[in-house]
Amino acid sequence: DQQVKQNSPSLSVQEGRISILNCDYTNSMFDYFLWYKKYPAEGPTFLISISSIKDKNEDGRFTVFLNKSAKHLSLHIVPSQPGDSAVYFCAVYSGGSNYKLTFGKGTLLTVNP
Amino acid sequence: DAGVTQSPTHLIKTRGQHVTLRCSPISGHKSVSWYQQVLGQGPQFIFQYYEKEERGRGNFPDRFSARQFPNYSSELNVNALLLGDSALYLCASSLPRSDQPQHFGDGTRLSIL
């Protein structure tokens, strides 16, 4: 039973355009949401996060949007760069604790020059 | 500052053997978590240790065990290895606050023959 779903296994965009990665979750008890980026042969790298009390958080080219009523999370990357090509994971904490991350399956983003 | 370090980077074992994987957290982080990532999936939570105590355990059999040492480094032990244990094993460390992300090492690639 997948609690965090990334329904697009892959996404391809042109350099300079916007990349939008999506994530859906099933449990309304999830209270902190994170995005990680993973290159081959490296561990996941933390990108950006958002608390359930907010609906938007920005950090440079990266913006995360949270729609609690739809249980939907998205990551926007503007402008996209070839170095952004990686697997992106949506992950969540629940219960006011950061002891356990629950991950989606990931979306492979390819940014073409 | 050094990030999370894991050793070894690669390991090949045969069925029935046991294995010990090691992790050193980021300086100042007292919490260490272990995850298993198989191909095509997101990382799955195995254990978290904080101040040498187990805080949480994922849905893994008793063949998996872990411990944390006084310097906050950690070991993951897997006994009676099965072919299905072939995976990337990731260690993460964090500060003990619900808004703090976990930071990952580059993992140990375990192959079972």
Side-chain angles (χ1 to χ4, degrees):
Chain A
D1 181 26
Q2 228 184 324
Q3 298 189 72
V4 179
K5 299 178 184 178
Q6 294 178 256
N7 292 318
S8 298
S10 62
L11 175 68
S12 182
V13 300
Q14 285 300 119
E15 181 178 5
R17 307 295 287 267
I18 185 171
S19 296
I20 300 177
L21 298 125
N22 294 302
C23 176
D24 296 299
Y25 61 95
T26 57
N27 190 338
S28 58
M29 293 300 292
F30 291 151
D31 50 19
Y32 204 76
F33 303 86
L34 307 92
W35 284 94
Y36 284 83
K37 175 172 74 174
K38 187 179 185 301
Y39 294 118
E42 293 185 12
T45 301
F46 170 69
L47 268 179
I48 191 169
S49 60
I50 188 168
S51 164
S52 60
I53 63 173
K54 295 185 176 180
D55 54 19
K56 178 182 174 181
N57 188 27
E58 279 184 86
D59 184 1
R61 297 186 297 114
F62 302 92
T63 303
V64 57
F65 295 92
L66 176 62
N67 182 333
K68 288 185 290 293
S69 60
K71 296 190 180 68
H72 180 80
L73 187 70
S74 63
L75 174 68
H76 292 208
I77 306 173
V78 183
S80 301
Q81 300 172 353
D84 296 329
S85 298
V87 177
Y88 288 77
F89 290 101
C90 171
V92 302
Y93 288 141
S94 64
S97 167
N98 72 336
Y99 88 88
K100 172 185 174 183
L101 278 166
T102 301
F103 284 86
K105 288 187 175 182
T107 296
L108 173 62
L109 173 66
T110 303
V111 180
N112 301 301
Chain B
D1 282 348
V4 176
T5 58
Q6 293 187 242
S7 63
T9 53
H10 294 88
L11 204 49
I12 299 174
K13 292 285 189 179
T14 57
R15 283 178 295 173
Q17 287 188 310
H18 71 272
V19 68
T20 299
L21 311 181
R22 295 179 174 85
C23 172
S24 292
I26 292 171
S27 177
H29 287 189
K30 300 179 180 179
S31 175
V32 170
S33 301
W34 288 94
Y35 293 82
Q36 180 195 65
Q37 186 182 14
V38 298
L39 200 60
Q41 302 290 323
Q44 280 212 297
F45 173 74
I46 309 175
F47 286 110
Q48 196 202 51
Y49 276 76
Y50 176 67
E51 290 280 16
K52 302 181 289 296
E53 297 287 329
E54 181 183 306
R55 286 180 73 195
R57 183 187 181 111
N59 188 23
F60 281 81
D62 291 344
R63 300 184 296 107
F64 288 76
S65 63
R67 55 180 176 165
Q68 188 177 32
F69 299 98
N71 66 354
Y72 305 110
S73 67
S74 179
E75 283 182 354
L76 175 70
N77 295 285
V78 187
N79 292 324
L81 288 165
L82 302 174
L83 292 177
D85 295 331
S86 294
L88 179 67
Y89 288 85
L90 294 161
C91 174
S93 74
S94 62
L95 295 171
R97 275 176 38 189
S98 61
D99 63 346
Q100 292 298 304
Q102 296 186 8
H103 298 276
F104 286 82
D106 287 339
T108 294
R109 172 69 63 185
L110 176 63
S111 299
I112 311 300
L113 303 180

